[in-house]
Amino acid sequence: MAPHDAVHGWDEDTTAEAYDAFTREFPMYSATSRELARRAHLADSRLVLDLCGGAGATAKPILELAPATARVISLDNAAAMQRVGRRTLDDPRLTWVTAAAEDLDRHAPAADVDAVVCNSAIWKTDIPRVFTAVHTVLRPGGRFVFNIGGGFAGVRHDDEKSAHTGPSLNRLIHDVAARDYGYTPPPTRPAAPKLPLEAVSAHLSAAGLVLVDAEVIAQHGSVAEKRAWLSIPVFARPDGDFTHAQRMDILAKAYALTTPDAPTVTSWLTVVAQRPK
């Protein structure tokens, strides 16, 4: 079963506003978006598709790196996220399309897109359908660039391996929830990665796309950034029958047990694929 933030809650104003505020205050999404846009080789692009684009955190660096004459389509199925994006990112080159990722080929011309970029969201789509649709819209030689969280891909950057010096904020959240709310944390046995590179490669090949590069990237942040991220309703923990107010109470108590400026590291598997020329 996918985590509760995979589908539910994205098309809600409270989540959209909190998510947009987070992207403005903290660098996580802007940094990963810029990294993906850089790998998409946009210097000569004419049309770029920002897949699962949310409120525009990835569209912004795409617009900055693409030529002034390029057009960008930001496609997402959460209208609330796009309402925020339209208000905060006003650029005549950008078109907002409210649609499912699996239907992207209905909203972009076939074999005419220079690059498709997807930040932090490919894991919650129907991978075979999306990859096939990406192949349909990409021009020959066009790039498909996306990332997958380290936990889903089963990878850890060396920086993350050496960064852990105490219990994580997530672990403390579970401890506080158990102490104050009788919460029973899930088993801690390691789960098999849901989307390892081997599976990604197989899906790309089946869709007619070629794997060009794959690299594990470290994203550096702080416990304060992690707290802000977990304050977004769709990301709030723990799972289960809690109100948002209860989750925020648990988060505040857990955060009080941490050092706010302590460094954190998250790992991302960054993938570059291409439609053959």
Side-chain angles (χ1 to χ4, degrees), residues 22-23 33 41 62 74 81 88 116 121 160 188 196 206 214 237 266:
F22 176 87
T23 64
S33 292
H41 292 182
I62 289 174
S74 186
M81 297 287 282
T88 59
V116 176
E160 183 181 0
T188 57
R237 296 293 187 267
T266 55

Side-chain angles (χ1 to χ4, degrees), residues 17-274:
E17 295 287 353
Y19 180 90
D20 183 64
F22 176 87
T23 64
R24 293 173 181 280
E25 184 175 359
F26 296 97
M28 183 178 80
Y29 285 106
S30 60
T32 52
S33 292
R34 180 165 288 277
E35 174 68 18
L36 294 175
R38 182 185 65 80
R39 291 171 183 258
H41 292 182
L42 302 178
D44 298 319
S45 59
R46 296 171 294 108
L47 179 60
V48 182
L49 178 63
D50 173 22
L51 183 61
C52 303
T58 304
K60 185 176 179 180
I62 289 174
L63 288 163
E64 292 171 352
L65 294 175
T69 54
R71 295 187 298 118
V72 178
I73 299 171
S74 186
L75 184 145
D76 197 281
N77 65 354
M81 297 287 282
Q82 293 195 327
R83 282 195 295 271
V84 172
R86 287 188 175 95
R87 188 183 72 229
T88 59
L89 185 57
D90 183 17
D91 191 304
R93 296 177 292 160
L94 179 60
T95 300
W96 300 89
V97 174
T98 307
E102 293 77 10
D103 297 329
L104 70 92
D105 54 338
R106 300 181 185 179
H107 302 281
D112 199 38
V113 175
D114 296 288
V116 176
V117 181
C118 183
N119 189 3
S120 311
I122 202 69
W123 59 272
K124 56 186 171 183
T125 69
D126 183 328
I127 299 291
R129 286 182 59 193
V130 168
F131 283 14
T132 298
V134 168
H135 179 275
T136 298
V137 302
L138 278 180
R139 64 166 174 79
R143 288 198 157 200
F144 179 28
V145 185
F146 58 94
N147 56 13
I148 305 167
F152 284 96
V155 297
R156 293 181 70 195
H157 192 276
D158 288 342
D159 287 359
E160 183 181 0
K161 295 176 185 177
S162 61
H164 296 291
T165 58
S168 67
L169 184 54
N170 279 335
R171 182 69 265 163
L172 292 170
I173 285 171
H174 284 169
D175 292 345
V176 171
R179 182 193 70 195
D180 294 356
Y181 290 89
Y183 174 69
T184 302
T188 57
R189 61 180 180 273
K194 294 180 172 62
L195 198 56
L197 181 58
E198 294 80 5
V200 172
S201 300
H203 287 305
L204 288 171
S205 179
L209 297 166
V210 176
L211 178 66
V212 174
D213 187 32
E215 184 178 355
V216 180
I217 301 295
Q219 175 63 32
H220 297 81
S222 67
V223 175
E225 180 184 42
K226 181 70 172 180
R227 181 201 186 180
W229 188 75
L230 290 169
S231 297
I232 300 171
V234 76
F235 295 136
R237 296 293 187 267
D239 295 342
D241 190 19
F242 292 93
T243 66
H244 186 64
Q246 288 172 331
R247 289 191 174 100
M248 292 303 95
D249 173 63
I250 294 167
L251 176 60
K253 292 174 179 176
Y255 182 67
L257 301 174
T258 71
T259 303
D261 60 354
T264 62
V265 181
T266 55
S267 300
W268 296 88
L269 176 64
T270 301
V271 178
V272 180
Q274 190 174 46

